[in-house]
Amino acid sequence: MDEKKKDKQTQAVSEKSGGFAEWLSGITGEFKRIAWPDRNSLVKMTVTVIVTSGVFGGIIVLYDFILAAGYDGLVSLFG
């Protein structure tokens, strides 16, 4: 029982001490498995992100103007 436990610990330590070259090889392997989008999909996704950011930015600006006007109205009313 103790020998099996010791073997598992030894194996875990040896797997962790692979070094930088093994780590870099693993990273390279992971990048090869990524499903990169084609050009048309990339353009569509980029446009979607830009348009969505613009819409939400516009909403935030609109809320800011409304809240600023309301605040200025309250200050002039009570100030």
Side-chain angles (χ1 to χ4, degrees), residues 33-72:
R33 287 194 266 173
I34 294 174
W36 298 101
D38 61 346
R39 185 175 180 90
N40 290 335
S41 297
L42 185 63
V43 168
K44 287 178 184 178
M45 288 187 283
T46 303
V47 169
T48 301
V49 167
I50 291 171
V51 168
T52 304
S53 298
V55 168
F56 280 112
I59 290 170
I60 291 171
V61 166
L62 182 64
Y63 280 144
D64 182 52
F65 282 140
I66 291 170
L67 291 174
Y71 178 75
D72 289 341

